[in-house]
Amino acid sequence: MRQFRSIQSFLFFALITSFVCCKSNTNSTDENPENPPAQQAPNVSELFSQMDSNNDGKLAKSEVEGPLLEDFSKIDTNNDGFLTTEELEKGPKPEGRGPRENNSNSKNNVQKDFAVTINVDPTLFIKESLLQEITQEEHTLSNGTKALCYVITTASQPHEHKMGPWCPTHIEDGKDKGGIWFKDDKVYDVDGHFIANLKEFYSDEEWALFREDGSVKVTKTQEECEGAAKPDVEEEYHNYCVECLPEYYREKQSTYYIPVKPLYLENSNSLGRDGIGVAFNGVNFEAPAPTHAILAAHTLAPLDDAGGHVNPHAGYHYHAVTGSTKEVKQKDTHAVMIGYAMDGFGIYAHKDADGKVSTDLDDCNGHYDEVRGYHYHAGSAGSNQVLGCLHGASGSMSVKG
């Protein structure tokens, strides 16, 4: 087979075609599909931005499809499970392939052969976390179908644990003064020693989060928090430890629409920018933190020991599961249940009662058994990934305040 001349050509034919197909339902019926208007091929950076649904500066398997997904391991030269623009530009030239099947209706391709499907149990949510009684309402799901959903409104404030701390204030502070950080699937205490040794930790001489007197540069106000807690960190907050306090956003309310009966889809959906699920305490689980953008500015946005931190958009939320929230023990040795994904499927802890990790999980971190039906397992605390994607028709989440 012939090869594409460049990775840019590969990306254009393999991916931009799917973007056009996804938009085909909005086109006029007069258009001739055999003679589409000529389009200028976008460059790698533009394609990357379109695919990077959570703006974390890298592409997970759940964010790509087609030939790019098939050749993921070849392009991922450092084997970290993500693709960068540099890897795309320098990636191996794949062999040409025949035309792909049109999957524009894939969202309606429902898996119907599960013997067991478990409905959402609203009584599992902590009553003190709710701002109002859980109700039911018909709602349009991500695949366009309407379904009965639970409406859950919370303040995203945990009742089982305190929030924080996140940033130590001095390089001599112990681990009780800071939170946690992650790298290469490992979790590290963000104490003063960790801050003082960031140059060695990241092999980068530009790290300088502390002053000559040993004090750590920490965001101290809501304005400073909002200048630093975003992918495009304002330059004056480069080399800062980012600490946004819950009291800045006390008025925030999170409303979740979660289908009463989950609907499994054969084709998974990438994680959006809003919440991907909710713990039983009403705090939302978020997509992976945009660490590439954060670290590029030499900033650190630690999680607390419960795996959460605060940002201006969502308020307090989780990026990791550490065993700090309400858990529902199972009758067998299966991992405890910790919440629900936005598609209504249950989320369970990373390890079971014997400390074992499931080895048959799909890209979304999900699998099926005859007791719980299809369900997810949270990624390890150091993975920066609670879920990999969603395999069901999801409801929605909105934040006010």
Side-chain angles (χ1 to χ4, degrees), residues 61-65 69 106-107 264-271 362-364 374 376 388-392:
K61 280 188 176 181
S62 60
E63 294 175 303
V64 300
E65 60 181 33
L69 179 59
S106 62
K107 288 186 177 180
Y264 180 91
L265 301 176
E266 289 183 346
N267 297 284
S268 61
N269 299 306
S270 60
L271 303 176
D362 58 29
D363 287 342
C364 296
Y374 183 81
Y376 301 106
C389 48
L390 293 177
H391 237 310

Side-chain angles (χ1 to χ4, degrees), residues 105-149:
N105 294 320
S106 62
K107 288 186 177 180
N108 296 318
N109 197 2
V110 180
Q111 178 76 27
K112 298 180 180 179
D113 58 354
F114 284 154
V116 176
T117 298
I118 304 298
N119 287 4
V120 172
D121 183 354
T123 66
L124 296 179
F125 289 92
I126 301 173
K127 289 185 177 180
E128 292 79 7
S129 299
L130 304 175
L131 294 178
Q132 59 190 44
E133 291 290 326
I134 297 176
T135 59
Q136 294 185 11
E137 182 179 314
E138 189 175 66
H139 187 73
T140 302
L141 304 182
S142 60
N143 68 337
T145 61
K146 289 187 177 182
L148 191 64
C149 290

Side-chain angles (χ1 to χ4, degrees), residues 307-319:
H309 64 186
V310 179
N311 70 24
H313 169 66
Y316 185 77
H317 58 278
Y318 297 121
H319 285 293

